[in-house]
Amino acid sequence: LVESRAEMIVLDVNLRGTMGFFDDNALAEALTGAQGRVRTTARFRAGGNAARELDLPLERFAALAPPVFVDSGADRDGIIRHYRTRLVHEGWVIDSLATAITPEPQIIDTSFHIDFGIDLDTIPRLPVSALLEAGDVSDMISGKVAIVGLGSFSAQNGALVPRYGMVPDTAVQLLA
């Protein structure tokens, strides 16, 4: 994806633990080679006593690919209609995925409202196997944001939103 000149690559995968010495080193080397075009993800998870804890990638990876926030909070009725543009965690400001990929350089609002006019089915999704088989995918990827993660907008890590029902938090961020 880096060689295909993607504008940004978001790794929406669990990097909160080690994968093994050689795999960790290979990923760190790839992130270094991407020269700042890769972002990792942070999201809340339920902790002990129902407290929500922020899951961040390992510091080693976050230093090379700063995280974007992909979680969302529901309104009182349990439905998500907007989400934060950023959050502050232990003194660090973490932009939401939508904030990071928006072409507007300065966003002063504290939240995005979901744009229900966007059709999630129009957002291209390709299996990693198809990318590997295709070879040079510059014509599809160049200048675009590539999100590496779930291949479908299933309910895993889901959020309930009008029009779509259950969608993953990452998909909610794409509805800005």
Side-chain angles (χ1 to χ4, degrees):
L1 294 174
V2 171
E3 292 171 359
S4 297
R5 296 183 304 282
E7 181 179 323
M8 180 187 300
I9 302 162
V10 179
L11 295 179
D12 188 23
V13 295
N14 185 347
L15 295 174
R16 286 127 187 102
T18 62
M19 299 173 284
F21 179 78
F22 294 108
D23 291 334
D24 284 357
N25 284 343
L27 178 58
E29 186 177 312
L31 293 175
T32 300
Q35 300 177 337
R37 286 190 285 166
V38 177
R39 305 292 294 266
T40 53
T41 56
R43 59 175 33 94
F44 281 111
R45 67 175 162 83
N49 300 326
R52 289 172 36 111
E53 298 174 14
L54 188 62
D55 252 347
L56 292 163
L58 292 174
E59 289 180 21
R60 175 181 190 184
F61 302 135
L64 297 169
V68 292
F69 184 60
V70 294
D71 205 53
S72 49
D75 291 340
R76 291 178 194 235
D77 60 1
I79 297 175
I80 296 170
R81 294 178 181 85
H82 58 89
Y83 50 89
R84 294 184 272 189
T85 55
R86 63 192 55 83
L87 66 89
V88 178
H89 177 73
E90 297 179 358
W92 293 93
V93 176
I94 303 173
D95 286 337
S96 69
L97 171 61
T99 300
I101 65 175
T102 191
E104 181 63 34
Q106 295 200 357
I107 299 173
I108 56 173
D109 292 331
T110 59
S111 67
F112 281 104
H113 288 279
I114 295 174
D115 182 348
F116 295 107
I118 296 173
D119 184 355
L120 283 175
D121 290 332
T122 64
I123 298 172
R125 292 181 294 280
L126 298 170
V128 172
S129 59
L131 287 174
L132 294 173
E133 290 172 9
D136 182 14
V137 291
S138 297
D139 56 330
M140 291 187 292
I141 304 293
S142 181
K144 296 187 171 89
V145 175
I147 300 172
V148 178
L150 294 174
S152 67
F153 293 134
S154 67
Q156 184 177 357
N157 294 325
L160 181 61
V161 296
R163 182 178 177 191
Y164 300 107
M166 291 296 287
V167 297
D169 289 320
T170 304
V172 173
Q173 297 281 318
L174 298 176
L175 296 172

